[in-house]
Amino acid sequence: MPHHLRRRALPAIGATALAALIAAAAVPTAQADDQPAPLDAAPAAALTGGDSILNMFEWNWNSIAAECEGPLADSGYTYVQTSPPNEHIRGDDATPGEENAWYIHYQPVSYKIESRLGTRAEYQNMVATCQANGIGVIADVVINHMAAGSPTEERTGWAGSKYRQFHYPDAGFDASDFHNTGSAYCEIDNYQDRAEVQNCHLVGLNDLDTSQTDVRETIAAYLDDLQSLGVAGFRVDAAKHIAAADLAAIMNLVDGDPYIVQEVIGAPGEPITEAEYTGIGDVQEFSYAYDLKNHINGGSEARHLTAIGTGWGYTAPAGVFVANHDTERGSQTMNYQYGQDYLLAEAFMLAHPFGTPASYTGYEFTTNHAAPPLNADGSVADAVCGSGAFTCLHRSPYMSGMAGFRAATAGEAVGNTWGSGDALAFGRGDTGHAVINAGTTAITRTFTTALPNGSYTDVISGGTVTVSGGAFTATVPAKTALAIYVGNGSGGGETKDCVTVNAAVSGTNVGDEVYVVGSIPQLGNWTAISSAHLSGASYPVWKGTISVPAGTTFQYKYVIVRSSGAYTWETIGNRTATVPATGCLNLNQTWNTA
């Protein structure tokens, strides 16, 4: 944007501008310049191969808590992602005609945990409730910038904080904490200019100077505060606009070892690449979502998806998704309006091991800036599944059932692949097998599988699939899927009343063993016993299956039994879980010392 047209007193960035910004960031033009020096940073905690995230966009904290206690508790999802939890601009300070738009959450006013999605106490209760049901919480965090503001007019944020352009006293920032103020003011216009992308202002949003120690410390304090409420990780919004060295420095100030996934929208020829950020944590791979659309709802055949991964040019470690709150309002990815194709893409993503998947559940919209359902006071209304605007797609077996499939097949490689046109199938070791039919006609065939003989329950239809002699025969209707795995049905000789464990445990040495111990006899009444021993054959993920009656509620922890016989315990409070009435309880977790 030419300097004489810059918008220095924008009330807010509009949804149209955001869409244009994403499009501009994805257009290849000039040759990339030299890459920065490698980062001196320790990578963040990785999630395990059985983990999956559910991005609950614009769900308020009480509704997420209720869902964690309800359908999510038995779904297989191991994390939920919340919208940004801190104070933002008020809805009537958005761009005229776009009042109360979703994007107001991405215009911070302070780091108070108070927003139209709920209070600090409600957020903390949500985290505790989800944790009690085996589900961690990841927060979307906006740390690149602060809200657009008037140079002269003082405004009030959602929680009462006063602010104006370059002055956010309740966040601890004044004009000295920002890039390019006064006569040096600039907005991003050229995505081929690294300095402009990372030091100029994002269509009016005030860009923090993250090279400064005090700015880094303020941001790290906010992230630590979220961790004090039990948050397990962060999705870093607009990470591309923060120099990778600055972001690494911020994360090195943060306590503990949170999971980190970063929004870095890469494009061929641009100077800023996803690879710069992989030393910090996962990087969201936007091309993955674009390719899913192309192969399931586009011109390329779905059968090629069995080989999806770094061979397709993707960065690793990657956070993958079918859609997010930005892309579902554009044309490059699918969204809920794509119906069955969208669900097939979600099912495939959860079945295939590449990347850490973040499924998406949001609300219906007719305009790109449309707000979620609101109460009279402007706060976001409770999500009511079955009525109202919230889609609740995550309750579909293509999502919740397939999250269970992912959990059960953690660490297992892809094998026994098959593909024809828009249909494909693949196994996950000797633990699971999935068939995706994105075509317009049914397929009937006999599939080769490594699954043990037995009867299995199809995650999608609930029907029975019989495996015998390394094969099963099935008819999969058009635009549907089938997925079976050991522990879901009698296949493989697994008991129906059981707890299956995939635990990523840090700090073990040669000769150490890992156990689940807990409050019931099957877990040794807090003593390590052989029936609750986990195998380290898939190290660093320790696995096991423990027979526990259906309906049993118990407390538990993971413990390392050293070669000397000494116990090393997780230092968190006791975990709590309940074995479902049917099927197994799947625990896919990470050793936690928070």
Side-chain angles (χ1 to χ4, degrees):
M1 177 176 296
H3 283 238
H4 68 278
L5 293 179
R6 63 181 181 258
R7 292 170 289 169
R8 300 184 61 179
L10 276 180
I13 172 177
T16 303
L18 276 174
L21 183 65
I22 292 169
V27 176
T29 53
Q31 179 67 33
D33 62 7
D34 293 337
Q35 299 298 312
L39 297 174
D40 180 17
L47 301 191
T48 71
D51 283 318
S52 54
I53 301 165
L54 178 61
N55 179 0
M56 305 188 75
F57 183 64
E58 290 287 76
W59 278 57
N60 68 31
W61 314 146
N62 290 338
S63 294
I64 294 176
E67 203 73 0
C68 279
E69 283 188 309
L72 285 180
D74 298 323
S75 68
Y77 281 111
T78 52
Y79 292 88
V80 293
Q81 178 184 311
T82 73
S83 293
N86 60 298
E87 183 182 13
H88 48 73
I89 67 172
R90 300 190 66 82
D92 55 7
D93 279 336
T95 298
E98 299 184 8
E99 286 78 9
N100 297 310
W102 59 268
Y103 63 75
I104 70 172
H105 292 275
Y106 294 84
Q107 298 199 44
V109 169
S110 79
Y111 295 133
K112 298 175 183 176
I113 311 303
E114 185 87 18
S115 76
R116 67 175 179 177
L117 292 167
T119 66
R120 181 184 181 90
E122 288 168 339
Y123 196 87
Q124 185 170 23
N125 175 69
M126 173 203 67
V127 174
T129 300
C130 291
Q131 285 181 336
N133 288 280
I135 301 169
V137 173
I138 293 168
D140 195 356
V141 292
V142 185
I143 58 176
N144 169 69
H145 56 260
M146 300 299 287
S150 166
T152 56
E153 177 191 351
E154 186 176 72
R155 293 179 176 145
T156 304
W158 177 267
S161 295
K162 304 297 183 182
Y163 72 98
R164 58 184 174 86
Q165 187 182 44
F166 302 128
H167 291 272
Y168 306 86
D170 283 0
F173 298 133
D174 60 25
S176 67
D177 296 310
F178 293 89
H179 285 125
N180 297 306
T181 61
S183 61
Y185 184 93
C186 58
E187 291 192 3
I188 301 169
D189 180 56
N190 179 13
Y191 272 80
Q192 305 308 313
D193 186 328
R194 173 185 296 275
E196 186 172 314
V197 172
Q198 295 184 331
N199 298 325
C200 292
H201 306 292
L202 190 65
V203 276
L205 301 174
N206 298 165
D207 194 71
L208 286 163
D209 184 356
T210 48
S211 70
Q212 296 188 41
T213 299
D214 61 335
V215 173
R216 293 173 176 177
E217 290 174 345
T218 299
I219 293 171
Y222 166 53
L223 302 183
D224 282 341
D225 186 35
L226 287 171
Q227 288 193 102
S228 77
L229 301 181
V231 168
F234 309 109
R235 182 258 183 189
V236 181
D237 181 71
K240 176 179 183 173
H241 297 278
I242 306 171
D246 290 356
L247 186 53
I250 291 167
M251 293 306 176
N252 282 341
L253 293 173
V254 173
D255 293 337
D257 193 22
Y259 171 70
I260 297 167
V261 61
Q262 304 155 92
E263 183 194 28
V264 182
I265 308 173
E270 285 194 3
I272 301 169
T273 69
E274 298 102 316
E276 297 174 34
Y277 295 82
T278 56
I280 302 170
D282 286 1
V283 178
Q284 289 188 314
E285 183 52 79
F286 280 72
S287 293
Y288 181 97
Y290 306 155
D291 286 336
L292 282 185
K293 179 184 178 184
N294 183 38
H295 286 270
I296 291 179
N297 186 264
S300 297
E301 293 181 327
R303 64 185 176 91
H304 299 295
L305 289 172
T306 55
I308 200 167
T310 54
W312 289 32
Y314 301 155
T315 297
V320 296
F321 56 92
V322 178
N324 69 16
H325 63 277
D326 280 319
T327 69
E328 75 162 348
R329 289 166 170 81
S331 60
Q332 291 182 288
T333 71
M334 290 185 279
N335 61 27
Y336 73 92
Q337 297 166 346
Y338 284 72
Q340 201 63 21
D341 281 351
Y342 178 87
L343 292 176
L344 288 172
E346 287 278 3
F348 171 82
M349 177 180 70
L350 291 164
H352 195 274
F354 179 74
T356 297
S359 297
Y360 182 81
T361 187
Y363 59 91
E364 298 173 356
F365 55 87
T366 55
T367 63
N368 286 348
H369 62 267
L374 300 175
N375 297 315
D377 64 355
S379 61
V380 175
D382 291 343
V384 180
C385 293
S387 64
F390 286 97
T391 64
C392 299
L393 288 180
H394 61 282
R395 292 188 177 183
S396 163
Y398 287 86
M399 293 174 68
S400 63
M402 292 306 296
F405 177 95
R406 186 178 192 85
T409 59
E412 302 292 343
V414 170
N416 290 309
T417 60
W418 169 86
S420 177
D422 280 325
L424 60 99
F426 57 91
R428 294 291 306 277
D430 60 358
T431 304
H433 211 102
V435 184
I436 309 289
N437 182 10
T440 55
T441 59
I443 56 170
T444 300
R445 66 171 285 110
T446 297
F447 298 92
T448 300
T449 184
L451 285 170
N453 292 345
S455 295
Y456 297 82
T457 301
D458 173 21
V459 165
I460 304 298
S461 70
T464 299
V465 176
T466 301
V467 173
S468 178
F472 66 93
T473 300
T475 296
V476 182
K479 300 295 183 183
T480 62
L482 173 152
I484 54 178
Y485 62 87
V486 170
N488 195 34
S490 59
E494 298 284 350
T495 174
K496 291 184 178 181
D497 299 336
C498 67
V499 177
T500 61
V501 180
N502 294 281
V505 180
S506 60
T508 56
N509 302 309
V510 176
D512 294 342
E513 299 295 337
V514 178
Y515 294 78
V516 186
V517 297
S519 60
I520 54 176
Q522 294 87 347
L523 299 181
N525 291 318
W526 300 108
T527 301
I529 59 175
S530 60
S531 59
H533 172 255
L534 303 180
S535 168
S538 299
Y539 179 86
V541 178
W542 296 72
K543 298 184 176 186
T545 300
I546 305 156
S547 180
V548 179
T552 302
T553 297
F554 59 94
Q555 293 185 320
Y556 68 102
K557 282 186 177 181
Y558 299 104
V559 63
I560 301 170
V561 179
R562 305 294 182 183
S563 55
S564 64
Y567 282 24
T568 300
W569 297 81
E570 293 184 285
T571 56
I572 59 169
N574 296 340
R575 302 175 186 260
T576 302
T578 301
V579 181
T582 59
C584 292
L585 168 68
N586 298 307
L587 300 177
N588 298 275
Q589 296 170 322
T590 299
W591 175 271
N592 197 332
T593 57

